[in-house]
Amino acid sequence: MSVALIRPLVVRTVAVSDPDDLLARLPDAAPYAWIRHGEGLVGWGEAARATVPPGPGRFDWARGWLSSLFAGALIEDEVGVPGSGPVAFGSFTFDADAEGTVLVVPRVVLARRNGRAWLTTIGDDAFDLVTPPSAPGRIRYGDGSLSAPQWEHRVARAVRRIRDGMLDKVVLARDLTAVAERDIDPRVLLERLAERYPECYTFSVDGLVGATPELLVRHTGQAVESLVLAGTTPRGAHPADDAARGAALYASHKDRHEHAYAVASVREALAPLCSALDVPDRPELLVLPNVQHLASRVTGRLSDGASVLDVVAAMHPTAAVGGTPTGAALRVIRELEGMDRAGYSGPVGWIDSRGDGEWGIALRCAYVSGRRARLFAGCGIMAGSDPAAELAEAQAKLRVMQYALEG
């Protein structure tokens, strides 16, 4: 565990004119971002940082550290909305026992939402020079932890375990390495992702950059919302093909069954925390530029003063990224996946001093460091899964970050 901070935090939030393009304001220094349809938050610099110790109590530790930090802060907030005042960006590893969970309070946060914009600064003059981002140039790809044939073999082994009754579903991920001609500027990736995937949540936290379609939880006062995704098909080559693929996905017993497991896991996690919970009877189709998903939007009202991190702790890992039953799925993942997911498929997002915030599941993402990037994708494996089809689905999901790198 490591902690770095300025004590006490002196925080000032003021209303500002609409910045129009939040990402264009980011300097060339470890950007933090959470953007959808041009709205959200961007940040830079570090007023405080904590590397959260791994283990089953990591969410409690994180909430305690933030509560202590924010309670001691001197806050002047003339805006008073979710995301104003001090904000921490965070990325939690998928595996509770893995190192790498981090929380960072930026020195500067610029935000816009619902026609309002604000600027939060911590400490003295904290502005940095904004230089134009530069493209990374030619990209070379290589196998990650497993080659494509090796990963297909692991999928086949997982299918056999499911058919033997060991579990109902498991999510298996794979990675891909990329080496660029020049250092990879995360701002280039963020701009490309936000433009091409506006329906997704484009994020950047401590080198983890991506655009996730899956909202784990939005917490505003006592209201909570979660967008559950499970069941996927690639987009079609033309409108008729696209419509046929969507209809086949919606009618697929395997995919509807997989989606039902994901929705049930969210219901079970949220029900003890909520005084009211609305779970749709059937999913809808969420159509993105590269794939279509089965999607269900779950909403509820919290029964007590739980923060967004309490809700995240109750929900992670959902069946959409782990499997069913959770314990059996995690054992199969550790046995067959052959890699450390790090923050991939873990919670990523932000929390403010009121406990409000938005957290997604870190999908369609990559870890970026210098000229190198590590890309991730995963698929829900069921009894009826075909390894070749699952590989094709994973490759379709990897194309999101390949586009971000290549343009």
Side-chain angles (χ1 to χ4, degrees), residues 221-345:
Q222 287 185 290
V224 290
E225 177 182 347
S226 179
L227 180 63
V228 184
L229 304 181
T232 307
T233 189
R235 293 293 303 273
H238 49 77
D241 181 32
D242 207 36
R245 287 173 180 265
L249 175 65
Y250 199 83
S252 166
H253 175 76
K254 177 259 184 189
D255 289 291
R256 289 291 289 267
H257 206 42
E258 177 185 349
H259 189 82
Y261 282 135
V263 172
S265 74
V266 170
R267 180 193 295 110
E268 290 167 9
L270 287 180
L273 299 175
C274 291
S275 59
L277 191 63
D278 182 21
V279 181
D281 293 331
R282 59 186 62 191
E284 299 178 349
L285 277 177
L286 175 64
V287 180
L288 300 175
N290 61 320
V291 295
Q292 301 183 61
H293 293 293
L294 295 178
S296 292
R297 193 172 300 276
V298 178
T299 58
R301 187 166 184 82
L302 295 171
S303 53
D304 59 22
S307 83
V308 69
L309 279 186
D310 295 317
V311 183
V312 170
M315 296 180 70
H316 179 75
T318 69
V321 294
T324 305
T326 301
L330 293 179
R331 288 191 292 273
V332 171
I333 288 170
R334 293 185 181 117
E335 177 192 355
L336 297 182
E337 206 166 67
M339 70 176 192
D340 176 10
R341 292 189 185 186
Y344 169 72
S345 68

Side-chain angles (χ1 to χ4, degrees), residues 117-283:
W118 60 93
L119 176 72
T120 299
T121 55
I122 297 179
D124 298 328
D125 187 358
F127 293 93
D128 296 293
L129 178 64
V130 177
T131 57
S134 57
R138 186 171 58 89
I139 307 294
R140 291 184 291 108
Y141 296 100
D143 285 334
S145 305
L146 298 173
S147 67
Q150 288 172 327
W151 191 77
E152 285 184 289
H153 179 66
R154 302 295 175 94
V155 170
R157 289 171 61 184
V159 170
R160 286 197 294 271
R161 281 162 174 68
I162 293 168
R163 291 176 178 173
D164 288 343
M166 294 177 59
L167 71 168
D168 299 309
K169 171 193 173 182
V170 64
V171 178
L172 291 184
R174 67 182 302 249
D175 59 347
L176 188 70
T177 63
V179 180
E181 186 178 355
R182 294 180 289 274
D183 281 354
I184 301 169
D185 188 332
R187 297 175 299 169
V188 172
L189 310 187
L190 290 170
E191 289 171 357
R192 290 172 175 172
L193 291 170
E195 181 178 7
R196 188 175 178 98
Y197 302 96
E199 287 289 336
C200 294
Y201 297 85
T202 300
F203 61 87
S204 175
V205 179
D206 208 44
L208 183 64
V209 181
T212 180
E214 188 143 0
L215 178 68
L216 185 61
V217 60
R218 175 183 295 117
H219 180 297
T220 307
Q222 287 185 290
V224 290
E225 177 182 347
S226 179
L227 180 63
V228 184
L229 304 181
T232 307
T233 189
R235 293 293 303 273
H238 49 77
D241 181 32
D242 207 36
R245 287 173 180 265
L249 175 65
Y250 199 83
S252 166
H253 175 76
K254 177 259 184 189
D255 289 291
R256 289 291 289 267
H257 206 42
E258 177 185 349
H259 189 82
Y261 282 135
V263 172
S265 74
V266 170
R267 180 193 295 110
E268 290 167 9
L270 287 180
L273 299 175
C274 291
S275 59
L277 191 63
D278 182 21
V279 181
D281 293 331
R282 59 186 62 191

